[in-house]
Amino acid sequence: MTRLLPITDDSLSLAVQTLAAGGLVSFPTETVYGLGADARNPKAVAGIFNAKNRPQFNPLISHVATTEAAFALGMPTPSATALAAAFWPGPMTLVLYRTNDCPIAMLTSAGLDKVAIRVPAHPDAKRLLQLFNAPVAAPSANPSGKISPTRSEHVMQSLEGRIDLILDGGPCESGVESTIIDCTGPTVQLLRPGGITTGQVSAALEAAGLSGVIDTPSESNRPASPGQLASHYAPDATLRLAALEADADEELIGFGPVAGQGKLGLSLSIIGDVNEAAANLFDMLHRADAAGCNRIAVAPIPEQGLGEAINDRLRRAAAPRDAI
Ligand code: TXA
Ligand code: MG
């Protein structure tokens, strides 16, 4: 049975007990809801893969309460130190080499010698991590390949009966997942665009006296970050991008001057604000899916600020399904 509880001192201590016993707890972060388990406990982490039907080679992000705790798990580099100072706590994940005594289970990192670590800013996530006082592995709390959850209802709808507890902290503020940066090499690599833009990352590196150049992994490196799989964020409906008009039987999700058309009339942001659009993105795809739309179209989104991450998600969602 899955319990859905508002966040209180009692539900937080139940969450800590559940994690310590190897159970699964969904909790809000400022990006999306995570599906958490004790990152040190491979059985608990296997439970995440099972609940999500996730391919086992997909490594997970470990969440901790402080930068100090993060650098006890992954070895700091100059770029990691600069980015942590600029963006933690917040929607950024750093990929670092494991420390010698890193307690994160190998299953959590899918056998890789690098670990992905995040210090979230959401106050309830922070309280949970402080109380648990150990790394919590948490992918987004959705079945593998489906839309990420930005409300507790999304988690309940797709994972009820498969997880122990959902902490309800209301809707997530940002709506797109964290930016993932590999800091192990001479220049940093962008593994996934997200809540912190590449412009912000370059500026923070340069402010620390480092190179602001950001590499993107070559095709041959791709399997190291399976979140880059072409069709990772798929609604059930087919998706057409950069649409100005709805075709017959199509639900058009609007943005800015392009108004929503169809039975729902949704717009990611009537005023053309990419931050508002990011916060609405997964919720509106969920709603169009839930309303039984077979064909969804989305208005053009500018490739600026969080528009980078939105377009990345939309391209994956629109990719042919056999690309998985
Ligand atoms: O905002 C977020 O990042 C959310 C919240 C819950 O924190 N989490 C999230 O996790 O999006 P997930 O598991 O859905 O995405 C994790 C991504 C995957 O694409 C995975 O391949 C990549 O991180 N990743 C994890 N560990 C890695 C590693 N050692 N090397 C390269 N990529 C890694
Ligand atoms: Mg995900």
Side-chain angles (χ1 to χ4, degrees):
M1 195 190 89
T2 302
R3 297 180 72 183
L4 172 65
L5 297 175
I7 296 173
T8 60
D9 288 349
D10 285 349
S11 65
L12 283 170
S13 36
L14 178 64
V16 167
Q17 282 168 35
T18 305
L19 290 171
L24 300 182
V25 176
S26 177
F27 62 97
T29 79
E30 69 276 25
T31 59
V32 298
Y33 274 74
L35 177 56
D38 183 343
R40 303 165 302 178
N41 176 345
K43 270 195 185 161
V45 172
I48 294 180
F49 291 119
N50 184 45
K52 281 180 66 91
N53 270 329
R54 186 175 201 173
Q56 296 245 343
F57 53 75
N58 232 355
L60 305 178
I61 297 171
S62 295
H63 299 70
V64 288
T66 63
T67 298
E68 196 191 350
F71 289 153
L73 303 171
M75 285 191 291
T77 58
S79 58
T81 305
L83 295 177
F87 303 117
W88 275 345
M92 181 187 64
T93 296
L94 299 182
V95 172
L96 303 170
Y97 284 113
R98 285 169 173 274
T99 53
N100 284 337
D101 49 1
C102 175
I104 293 175
M106 286 310 280
L107 184 59
T108 307
S109 61
L112 299 172
D113 54 357
K114 297 178 185 180
V115 284
I117 307 163
R118 178 171 170 220
V119 180
H122 194 289
D124 297 322
K126 271 173 94 166
R127 281 171 72 197
L128 176 67
L129 294 169
Q130 270 157 1
L131 289 168
F132 188 56
N133 197 28
V136 173
S140 48
N142 52 280
S144 188
K146 296 292 183 185
I147 304 164
S148 292
T150 52
R151 293 168 183 267
S152 62
E153 305 93 270
H154 299 157
V155 182
M156 198 63 171
Q157 277 156 20
S158 63
L159 293 176
E160 185 175 10
R162 303 178 74 92
I163 67 178
D164 300 297
L165 176 61
I166 302 170
L167 294 175
D168 179 10
C172 301
E173 213 175 275
S174 153
V176 284
E177 295 95 333
S178 59
T179 303
I180 306 182
I181 310 271
D182 185 325
C183 290
T184 57
T187 49
V188 302
Q189 284 203 330
L190 176 72
L191 299 184
R192 179 176 76 183
I196 305 285
T197 66
T198 51
Q200 289 174 292
V201 170
S202 289
L205 291 170
E206 282 167 10
L210 302 169
S211 160
V213 174
I214 301 174
D215 284 344
T216 40
S218 62
E219 285 299 319
S220 58
N221 286 339
R222 282 255 162 134
S225 187
Q228 300 291 316
L229 286 172
S231 176
H232 191 69
Y233 299 90
D236 292 329
T238 62
L239 195 61
R240 185 166 71 89
L241 305 185
L244 299 175
E245 292 278 2
D247 287 345
D249 301 331
E250 205 173 41
E251 187 71 31
L252 171 63
I253 300 179
F255 176 85
V258 180
Q261 295 170 32
K263 45 185 176 177
L264 302 175
L266 300 171
S267 174
L268 290 170
S269 170
I270 290 170
I271 58 168
D273 174 356
V274 284
N275 291 355
E276 186 183 12
N280 282 330
L281 180 64
F282 291 123
D283 189 48
M284 290 187 175
L285 290 175
H286 270 290
R287 279 161 64 185
D289 245 3
C293 306
N294 292 322
R295 299 168 63 225
I296 304 174
V298 182
I301 311 292
E303 193 74 25
Q304 279 155 13
L306 286 185
E308 281 174 7
I310 294 172
N311 285 319
D312 175 75
R313 300 299 180 275
L314 286 173
R315 279 192 292 272
R316 286 178 208 296
R321 297 301 145 80
D322 60 8
I324 290 186

